[in-house]
Amino acid sequence: MSPWQRLTQHLDWPQQPSASTNQSLTGLKRFVSLFLVGITLSLAVASCGPSSSNNPAASPGSSPGGASPAANKGNVELTLVSFAVTKAAHEAIIPKFIEQWQKEKGQTVTFNQSYGGSGSQTRAVIDGLEADIVHLALALDTAKIEKAGLIEPGWEKEVPNEGIVSKSVGAIVTRDGNPKGINTWEDLSKDGVKVITADPKTSGVARWNFLALWGSVVKTGGDETKALDLTTKVYKNVPILTKDAREATDVFFKQGQGDALINYENEILLAGEKGEKPTYTIPEVNVSIDNPIAIVDKNVDKHGTREVAEAFVKFLYTPEAQREFAKAGFRPVDATVAAEPEFVKKYAPIKTLFTAQDLGGWGDIQKKFFDDGAVFDKIQGSIRQ
């Protein structure tokens, strides 16, 4: 609304002025017009002077440092899309961020939250779920959203720790008392051992499981021939490949199938927090299951939520938030939190820890192992012969 409209809105102009009022009305309008011209000129002159980033009158989006559209409202909504097992951590972290933002900005933030399999969440965002922030199981999924044009390249450089905000390692769950004596990845290849895991063609968690097996060989002095031999023997012991990790867990616990289940350490620890007492081992040669966080640039710019979205992502790296991840079973990415006695006791040390980058990065990993006709398909083909 223009200054003229704002002023005249509060003046009780007659809708149809009579002839007797026209002369006085015309004079009043002339006076108001001259007055507004003076104000406009004054503002024009003032605008040529130095600006201040703290200027509360800065128009939204008018310049760097100007308030976003959302920042001028009393409330702002963020949509967080994450993989399923992070729910407990985020539900503890989000209220803390809301409280902090309210104190600092006087603005109420509400979160729309969506949790599910990382692959399905990735597809949903690409297909139109307007996430402001994505927290996914592996960088390959984030790369797919980037390829779709929703995340700007270089996203991992915009936040600490190359974008990795939570991490875990692989765990082997066994039956009570571990009757088959399973303690290492190699033990899963023994005759008579039935292993439950998801299909790495459809499950992000299962890709990490595969890498744990492969890396346990090549990162301890073995060559790729030995790695192929081990992984082939293990997958020969898999009676059924489930579509995702949650189904694999149900097959093992609810249906009672298998002698061992490959899963995330954080899933096992979370089950313990809920009163369950699974028997499990953390192999001393293991893969760092790194989970990235990213802002969905196209959506935050559309929603006017970039400022608060960036603040939330930054908050996830604070000791306060990292403690909540650690309580929910994720190994802290903050070294000071990881060194706290509570978490030193909770998380077993890993003798040999390798990452996806150590195996070539997710682009190469996907092509080498999981694309159609790649290593995993060849393993399955040899098993079916």
Side-chain angles (χ1 to χ4, degrees):
M1 183 180 291
S2 68
W4 172 262
Q5 290 172 318
R6 283 196 294 270
L7 182 59
T8 56
Q9 183 181 39
H10 298 291
L11 295 175
D12 188 18
W13 300 117
Q15 296 299 311
Q16 292 181 329
S18 64
S20 63
T21 64
N22 277 342
Q23 186 174 0
S24 60
L25 186 56
T26 300
L28 178 57
K29 284 186 175 181
R30 185 179 297 113
F31 171 78
V32 170
S33 296
L34 290 173
F35 177 72
L36 290 176
V37 168
I39 291 177
T40 302
L41 289 173
S42 298
L43 291 174
V45 172
S47 67
C48 295
S51 62
S52 169
S53 61
N54 294 321
N55 180 9
S59 60
S62 61
S63 63
S68 68
N72 286 331
K73 301 175 183 177
N75 301 310
V76 60
E77 287 188 1
L78 282 180
T79 297
L80 170 67
V81 173
S82 190
F83 63 110
V85 296
T86 64
K87 185 177 181 181
H90 281 303
E91 287 186 340
I93 293 168
I94 284 173
K96 296 177 183 293
F97 173 75
I98 290 173
E99 181 181 3
Q100 175 180 297
W101 191 257
Q102 178 67 46
K103 288 179 179 178
E104 292 182 356
K105 302 291 184 177
Q107 188 179 38
T108 299
V109 184
T110 56
F111 281 77
N112 300 313
Q113 300 170 61
S114 174
Y115 299 95
S118 188
S120 61
Q121 294 290 70
T122 299
R123 288 189 295 273
V125 172
I126 292 172
D127 291 342
L129 175 56
E130 293 190 359
D132 295 295
I133 301 164
V134 288
H135 184 188
L136 300 171
L138 61 165
L140 179 67
D141 287 338
T142 313
K144 289 177 181 178
I145 300 175
E146 177 187 333
K147 188 176 181 180
L150 299 174
I151 296 176
E152 293 294 330
W155 57 271
E156 67 277 14
K157 305 297 183 183
E158 301 297 323
V159 291
N161 201 40
E162 294 291 309
I164 304 303
V165 75
S166 61
K167 63 182 181 179
S168 190
V169 295
I172 302 172
V173 187
T174 61
R175 296 300 174 189
D176 289 347
N178 193 11
K180 294 293 180 77
I182 300 167
N183 296 297
T184 68
W185 300 115
E186 188 175 5
D187 290 339
L188 297 175
S189 67
K190 293 177 180 177
D191 290 340
V193 172
K194 298 300 181 185
V195 181
I196 303 300
T197 184
D199 188 343
K201 299 281 284 188
T202 59
S203 166
V205 173
R207 289 189 181 98
W208 286 114
N209 296 348
F210 181 97
L211 294 185
L213 295 167
W214 189 274
S216 71
V217 176
V218 299
K219 290 303 172 183
T220 55
D223 60 19
E224 292 201 343
T225 299
K226 291 182 179 179
L228 180 62
D229 180 61
L230 173 67
T231 51
T232 300
K233 287 179 179 178
V234 172
Y235 282 98
K236 279 183 178 179
N237 285 345
V238 178
I240 179 175
L241 286 169
T242 63
K243 70 178 185 299
D244 57 37
R246 183 65 61 189
E247 184 180 342
T249 300
D250 288 344
V251 166
F252 184 78
F253 285 108
K254 295 182 179 180
Q255 298 179 23
Q257 294 190 44
D259 303 300
L261 167 71
I262 309 177
N263 209 331
Y264 282 1
E265 177 190 45
N266 60 278
E267 278 276 75
I268 310 307
L269 293 176
L270 186 60
E273 294 289 336
K274 294 180 178 179
E276 300 175 20
K277 296 182 179 180
T279 301
Y280 70 97
T281 185
I282 305 296
E284 62 179 13
V285 179
N286 221 310
V287 63
S288 181
I289 299 172
D290 297 333
N291 317 131
I293 190 90
I295 289 171
V296 186
D297 295 287
K298 186 173 182 179
N299 291 339
V300 296
D301 289 340
K302 176 181 178 181
H303 303 156
T305 53
R306 180 175 291 277
E307 181 186 15
V308 66
E310 289 178 347
F312 178 67
V313 170
K314 183 178 179 181
F315 183 78
L316 294 179
Y317 288 93
T318 65
E320 185 176 16
Q322 284 295 305
R323 287 188 190 97
E324 295 301 334
F325 276 122
K327 290 175 184 176
F330 292 94
R331 294 187 173 224
V333 300
D334 184 307
T336 60
V337 175
E340 292 177 6
E342 174 186 357
F343 304 125
V344 169
K345 181 179 179 180
K346 185 172 185 176
Y347 295 104
I350 306 298
K351 181 179 179 180
T352 303
L353 185 68
F354 57 91
T355 68
Q357 287 300 317
D358 293 330
L359 297 177
W362 275 108
D364 290 345
I365 288 170
Q366 178 65 27
K367 292 176 185 177
K368 181 176 182 177
F369 297 114
F370 307 123
D371 276 353
D372 292 342
V375 170
F376 183 74
D377 280 353
K378 291 177 181 178
I379 290 173
Q380 289 300 99
S382 69
I383 292 173
R384 287 191 290 265
Q385 290 178 353

